[in-house]
Amino acid sequence: MSVPGLTLANADVDKLTKDPKNWAMQAGDFSNKRYSELKQINSRNVKDLQVAWTFSTGVLRGHEGGPLVVGDTMYLHSPFPNKVFSISLADQSLNWKYEPKQDAAVIPVMCCDTVNRGLAFAEGKIFLQQADTNLVALDAKTGKEIWKVKNGDPKIGETNTNTPHVFKDKVITGISGGEFGVRGHVTAYDINTGKQVWKAYSVGPDEEMLIDPEKTMTWTDGKMAPVGKDSSLKTWKGDQWKVGGGTTWGWYSYDPALNLMYYGTGNPSTWNPSQRPGDNKWSMTIFARDVDTGKAKWAYQMTPHDEWDFDGVNENILADIKIKNKPVKALVHFDRNGFAYTLNRETGELLVAEKYDPKVNWATHVDMKTGRPQVVAKYSTQQNGPDVNSKGICPAALGTKDQQPSSYSPKTGLFYVPTNHVCMDYEPFQVDYTAGQPYVGATLSMYPAMDSHGGMGNFIAYNASTGKIVWSKPEKFSVWSGALSTAGDVVFYGTLEGHIKAVDNNGKELWRFKTPSGIIGNVNTWEYKGKQYVGVLSGIGGWAGIGMAAGLEKDTDGLGAVGGYKELSKYTELGGVLTVFALPGKPGS
């Protein structure tokens, strides 16, 4: 019996995201496409964009995520202390402001700045995931607290930086803290009461991971096969899994027709691979889970026994594309490890796995039969051993792409990807676990990719059917901003120097504007009273900008980012501003 898609999604969110006048989810829709059907702003007139209005959050740390727009109201967030603003689009006045009282002691256990990736909206509620792990439901009209639930414990290093996601009658959230020996999990709460519905760990016993040894499938010897009993426990030494990482602070997507949600898990703890022999399942893994029960349908591990901190948390974009002339319900994932993966999202089958930066060198290729990357011995920090500095590894730990989300245009069939073009030296060392203390065990240095254009970033267009880079636009610094593609044949992104840029479908720059601070936020668009707007948060910070945001100076501070991005301070300064753009004149003029 076929069931209408509305009954399988959250009807309110589904309706709001189908109207391009809104931007009702952080990624625009359930499938994480970050694409808009709006085309008032197009490749011919984008050069005329002007600032329409601005808004300061009053916070000077890294501003990731972006605003939500529902009807005549914008909902905006800030980094810690995680303020929430309800703004009237009519005159930019505040309807209400919410500022939670959080213990500042959570700040030292946030590894890579005090960022927050944004709010969720559903059924008259705003959902805020606070840094201190409290998940809060607010009345969207008044800002009053409806319910609050504690999702973790900062005393053992658990924090939250992710946006919550509303799928059906649940709000789903993850956990941060892989650098503190946190054991990752994804948890679903009832959107009306905050009651926990299910919780799925990334590593450990089958029942705690909501894995069925016979029914949960994985790519094995060129086909899908059951994961088998104790699939995680068998790949860890002793009780190391209890502090094993696999955190879940990235973006989640959802296919209502399949009732499956998709997300990635992060690095195993510690960064010293010699202390955790084995594949360390299921860190570095894409999971497909039933939204109602949390049970895993399939799992695919991208980087078994990670030796480089190549977290697997990046977004999974759901797109129906053709591969070898056959239509496929695909999932496309641009991993930190430098490989872009195309999987069948229904079955979990591996279809394409190719480098999306030519300088990736730690592995030659992904073996399509086993699904495993073929590691180059020279760049194996496990093989080279503790207290040995492995040099020239590409990409660096922050990956060919970190959490900054890509965009997919159904109009062009291409994926537009903000990337890092950065390499590293990596020296692991023995480290002991103490709850609430850093559990890293490696010293890193970062620098631009060698023998290249001299910059630290590229903005690329990628064909996920063929695994080919279609074009690549070099940037001086990593592109740490989420992309946006539109039906107007314009693609937007921001730069760490603070420029918001518009390019056409071939990568030709059409327009740029220098915002008050470096951009690590995601570009969004919406329509109000017949006029299309484009907005972006600027506020330097995040991992790339942690030196400026936190006042760090040693090259190896910030897990190596401070030295790599030290030149940033010549181009931008701290900030916290939303800048909104529109075309001059009245709509249609």
Side-chain angles (χ1 to χ4, degrees):
M1 187 173 73
S2 68
V3 184
L6 268 182
T7 63
L8 291 171
N10 179 289
D12 184 43
V13 177
D14 193 72
K15 182 181 176 184
L16 291 170
T17 56
K18 282 191 165 78
D19 182 352
K21 293 177 184 177
N22 300 313
W23 191 271
M25 291 184 74
Q26 284 296 322
D29 61 12
F30 290 126
S31 59
N32 277 15
K33 288 189 177 79
R34 296 195 54 77
Y35 173 80
S36 173
E37 291 286 356
L38 297 180
K39 52 188 176 185
Q40 186 181 101
I41 299 167
N42 57 51
S43 57
R44 295 180 304 281
N45 62 24
V46 68
K47 67 182 186 304
D48 300 323
L49 277 183
Q50 297 177 354
V51 175
W53 56 275
T54 62
F55 181 85
S56 171
T57 66
V59 182
L60 296 179
R61 292 296 291 255
H63 283 62
E64 290 184 352
L68 297 181
V69 173
V70 179
D72 61 0
T73 306
M74 173 183 285
Y75 301 96
L76 190 65
H77 67 289
S78 84
F80 185 93
N82 305 136
K83 298 178 187 180
V84 181
F85 306 92
S86 170
I87 302 170
S88 167
L89 293 181
D91 59 3
Q92 296 88 57
S93 62
L94 282 179
N95 299 316
W96 52 261
K97 181 174 85 170
Y98 175 82
E99 185 168 347
K101 291 178 171 60
Q102 297 186 71
D103 188 343
V106 73
I107 294 174
V109 287
M110 299 184 79
C111 108
C112 311
D113 203 9
T114 60
V115 296
N116 179 281
R117 297 187 182 92
L119 307 165
F121 178 96
E123 298 177 22
K125 301 178 188 68
I126 286 289
F127 298 96
L128 164 68
Q129 179 59 81
Q130 295 178 187
D132 64 5
T133 79
N134 280 305
L135 177 66
V136 185
L138 304 173
D139 185 301
K141 280 194 164 56
T142 66
K144 301 293 184 202
E145 200 175 284
I146 299 172
W147 55 256
K148 181 163 72 174
V149 63
K150 198 165 173 57
N151 184 58
D153 181 4
K155 287 188 172 63
I156 63 168
E158 292 180 326
T159 57
N160 270 107
T161 57
N162 60 288
T163 180
H165 292 76
V166 175
F167 303 143
K168 296 182 81 168
D169 57 350
K170 299 167 188 67
V171 54
I172 300 175
T173 190
I175 202 74
S176 304
E179 281 58 67
F180 290 82
V182 163
R183 183 180 168 217
H185 54 80
V186 161
T187 310
Y189 297 95
D190 183 281
I191 62 170
N192 294 311
T193 64
K195 182 181 177 184
Q196 184 178 308
V197 182
W198 54 259
K199 184 175 187 176
Y201 283 93
S202 304
V203 300
D206 292 339
E207 61 274 14
E208 293 182 13
M209 294 189 297
L210 304 186
I211 276 181
D212 184 320
E214 300 307 317
K215 293 180 180 175
T216 303
M217 309 293 277
T218 194
W219 186 249
T220 308
D221 197 26
K223 63 183 186 304
M224 299 302 291
V227 296
K229 185 174 166 54
D230 297 332
S231 59
S232 175
L233 294 179
K234 286 175 178 174
T235 65
W236 291 88
K237 183 180 179 182
D239 286 345
Q240 184 73 27
W241 60 270
K242 291 181 178 177
V243 291
T247 49
T248 49
W249 48 272
W251 308 93
Y252 308 165
S253 47
Y254 174 54
D255 185 330
L258 299 174
N259 199 35
L260 292 176
M261 63 167 280
Y262 306 89
Y263 68 98
T265 65
N267 61 286
S269 301
T270 118
W271 288 21
N272 178 5
S274 300
Q275 287 183 239
R276 44 172 177 79
D279 277 356
N280 308 139
K281 289 182 166 65
W282 292 97
S283 67
M284 316 304 261
T285 295
I286 297 171
F287 271 110
R289 292 189 181 274
D290 182 284
V291 164
D292 294 326
T293 63
K295 289 187 176 172
K297 181 174 182 182
W298 57 259
Y300 173 73
Q301 188 179 42
M302 295 154 292
T303 313
H305 186 63
D306 169 63
E307 309 169 38
W308 311 270
D309 182 47
F310 291 153
D311 279 72
V313 303
N314 292 352
E315 76 284 354
N316 298 292
I317 301 173
L318 312 184
D320 297 343
I321 61 178
K322 284 189 175 179
I323 296 181
K324 295 178 180 173
N325 291 319
K326 290 185 179 177
V328 174
K329 287 184 178 296
L331 174 154
V332 178
H333 173 89
F334 296 92
D335 198 58
R336 284 254 289 265
N337 71 13
F339 288 89
Y341 296 84
T342 307
L343 306 175
N344 182 315
R345 67 177 181 266
E346 198 166 4
T347 63
E349 292 171 89
L350 176 64
L351 303 173
V352 181
E354 296 290 346
K355 296 175 183 180
Y356 62 105
D357 185 325
K359 291 297 177 182
V360 171
N361 65 11
W362 69 276
T364 54
H365 65 286
V366 172
D367 183 310
M368 295 302 288
K369 196 169 183 188
T370 64
R372 298 178 73 96
Q374 302 303 290
V375 178
V376 176
K378 177 182 176 182
Y379 303 118
S380 169
T381 69
Q382 163 78 41
Q383 181 169 306
N384 296 342
D387 306 317
V388 174
N389 194 16
S390 298
K391 296 185 176 182
I393 303 169
C394 306
L398 38 71
T400 299
K401 190 180 84 62
D402 204 305
Q403 60 74 37
Q404 60 270 38
S406 312
S407 175
Y408 170 70
S409 169
K411 192 171 179 181
T412 65
L414 296 177
F415 294 77
Y416 301 98
V417 191
T419 75
N420 311 312
H421 194 54
V422 184
C423 303
M424 68 175 172
D425 300 341
Y426 188 114
E427 183 174 345
F429 57 84
Q430 179 75 23
V431 62
D432 295 322
Y433 174 77
T434 304
Q437 296 300 311
Y439 188 52
V440 178
T443 302
L444 277 64
S445 300
M446 298 186 192
Y447 38 84
M450 301 80 72
D451 303 319
S452 187
H453 58 73
M456 301 177 77
N458 293 300
F459 187 73
I460 73 166
Y462 179 86
N463 185 325
S465 301
T466 61
K468 302 292 185 190
I469 299 166
V470 178
W471 51 257
S472 182
K473 185 176 183 297
E475 289 286 352
K476 181 172 180 60
F477 295 106
S478 296
V479 187
W480 210 273
S481 152
L484 170 75
S485 57
T486 74
D489 298 318
V490 184
V491 183
F492 294 92
Y493 67 97
T495 74
L496 285 176
E497 302 102 304
H499 288 108
I500 177 173
K501 296 186 177 183
V503 299
D504 67 13
N505 291 333
N506 298 311
K508 179 187 175 186
E509 188 173 308
L510 304 171
W511 170 83
R512 69 165 68 184
F513 180 89
K514 185 77 152 57
T515 66
S517 184
I519 298 175
I520 62 170
N522 306 329
V523 188
N524 296 352
T525 191
W526 62 91
E527 184 182 305
Y528 177 65
K529 289 191 172 177
K531 193 157 191 165
Q532 183 182 354
Y533 295 86
V534 172
V536 70
L537 276 170
S538 62
I540 195 68
W543 193 358
I546 188 66
M548 293 185 69
L552 305 177
E553 294 180 352
K554 279 177 56 184
D555 282 1
T556 54
D557 283 349
L559 303 168
V562 174
Y565 295 87
K566 64 169 60 174
E567 265 199 280
L568 257 182
S569 60
K570 294 180 183 177
Y571 294 88
T572 192
E573 191 45 272
L574 299 179
V577 173
L578 175 75
T579 308
V580 177
F581 304 88
L583 294 171
K586 294 178 180 177
S589 63

